[in-house]
Amino acid sequence: MASLSFVSSSLRTPSLTLRTTSHSSPKTSVSFSVKAQSLSQDDLKKLAAEKAVQSIKPGMVLGLGTGSTAAFAVSQIGKLLSSGELHDIVGIPTSKRTEEQARSLGIPLVTLDTHPRIDLAIDGADEVDPNLDLVKGRGGALLREKMVEAVAERFIVVADDTKLVEGLGGSGLAMPVEVVKFCWEFNLVRLRDLFKEFGCEAKLRVGEGGEVYVTDNSNFIVDLYFKEPLKDAVAAGWEIGKFEGVVEHGLFLGMATSVIIAGKNGVEVMNK
């Protein structure tokens, strides 16, 4: 099980509550003058993302995540580079949209081909369980996210408290599986049948206009919806990966080293 450790913060907004929790000690909290409840969810995500960015040091190779929370982190990195507070870093984006954002902010970009070792990756998550295992990829970038974050020495996840679950799949929202276009329906049926006992529903992802969603890698996504959490996420990931035509799945297991959770009561840091 993951344990929680106290963190101090130099964030300028005085409405932050930082909590530390361990399984062997009671919860404690430190409150500032303005209650965190006065902040919006986006404000809290931004604070948590900025906290993660504080871990960046000059000379680092960074994995740049994808999604609304990760975008706050990328924005903060750009601001620190522009002000001169941060220098001599390069980033590897996990999607085309993150690449566009990073380039617009003047963040130097490289690839895994030239920089196969990453010092720190920062990204969001769709579900976080008590062991800091994750569901990711509802934004469609799961393959590139996993490729980048799997080789990161440290992987900090930033999320809001609605992403906390007791077991992966427990939110009832999509757990994505990226599949090749060829005979995608064949794999959709196989994935659905694999998880019959969990009342699994499998759907081909479509966009807002009803068009089939295509990933940055020119693949399709089959979204799995569970009526109850997975009993063994490791076994589930292994079985999914055995299907020919499956490119990657959204179970990120044993990868996160820290998770920063933003909620109405403040910001909480969970460490492995």
Side-chain angles (χ1 to χ4, degrees):
M1 297 287 288
S3 62
L4 311 187
S5 64
F6 180 78
V7 331
S8 60
S9 176
S10 60
L11 297 172
R12 297 171 201 164
T13 306
S15 53
L16 178 64
T17 300
L18 293 175
R19 295 186 293 147
T20 178
T21 306
S22 70
H23 296 291
S24 58
S25 61
K27 291 182 179 180
T28 60
S29 66
V30 177
S31 298
F32 292 86
S33 58
V34 181
K35 296 297 183 182
Q37 283 85 343
S38 64
L39 297 179
S40 70
Q41 204 71 11
D42 276 351
D43 291 333
L44 289 166
K45 287 181 179 181
K46 186 172 183 287
L47 287 172
E50 289 176 354
K51 177 62 191 174
V53 170
Q54 290 177 12
S55 297
I56 298 174
K57 307 298 181 187
M60 280 188 168
V61 178
L62 304 174
L64 305 177
T66 295
S68 60
T69 309
F72 285 125
V74 175
S75 178
Q76 179 67 5
I77 292 168
K79 289 178 183 177
L80 293 176
L81 281 172
S82 178
S83 68
E85 298 174 70
L86 186 62
H87 56 88
D88 297 327
I89 60 96
V90 293
I92 300 178
T94 55
S95 67
K96 290 179 179 178
R97 60 185 179 275
T98 297
E99 179 180 356
E100 291 173 0
Q101 181 192 14
R103 289 193 188 281
S104 73
L105 295 170
I107 300 173
L109 299 180
V110 295
T111 70
L112 287 174
D113 295 330
T114 57
H115 291 71
R117 179 184 172 277
I118 295 175
D119 298 293
L120 172 65
I122 300 174
D123 204 354
D126 301 307
E127 292 184 6
V128 180
D129 79 0
N131 294 317
L132 307 193
D133 288 330
L134 316 168
V135 167
K136 287 178 48 57
R138 288 180 193 150
L142 61 155
L143 174 58
R144 298 190 187 192
E145 287 173 336
K146 190 171 285 190
M147 288 179 68
V148 169
E149 290 149 12
V151 297
E153 183 174 337
R154 295 177 62 200
F155 175 25
I156 299 178
V157 174
V158 184
D160 64 78
D161 58 0
T162 65
K163 305 303 191 297
L164 296 174
V165 296
E166 287 302 313
L168 298 183
S171 70
L173 301 176
M175 198 286 281
V177 180
E178 188 162 343
V179 300
V180 298
K181 294 179 180 179
F182 177 73
C183 294
W184 63 265
E185 191 169 3
F186 168 68
N187 272 320
L188 182 150
V189 172
R190 292 205 291 178
L191 289 165
R192 182 197 63 202
D193 290 348
L194 179 63
F195 296 105
K196 274 185 176 178
E197 65 177 295
F198 299 98
C200 178
E201 185 177 4
K203 296 181 180 180
L204 180 68
R205 183 176 298 188
V206 297
E208 292 181 1
E211 73 284 357
V212 177
Y213 179 87
V214 179
T215 71
D216 286 349
N217 317 295
S218 299
N219 296 314
F220 289 166
I221 288 181
V222 172
D223 286 319
L224 305 181
Y225 299 85
F226 303 103
K227 292 183 179 178
E228 58 182 272
L230 295 170
K231 296 175 182 176
D232 187 338
V234 173
W238 177 257
E239 292 300 321
I240 292 171
K242 286 163 64 174
F243 287 150
E244 300 82 4
V246 165
V247 179
E248 192 51 84
H249 57 75
L251 295 169
F252 284 53
L253 309 177
M255 294 176 60
T257 53
S258 299
V259 176
I260 301 176
I261 296 291
K264 291 300 182 183
N265 293 322
V267 173
E268 183 177 11
V269 179
M270 303 185 288
N271 295 308
K272 281 267 182 148

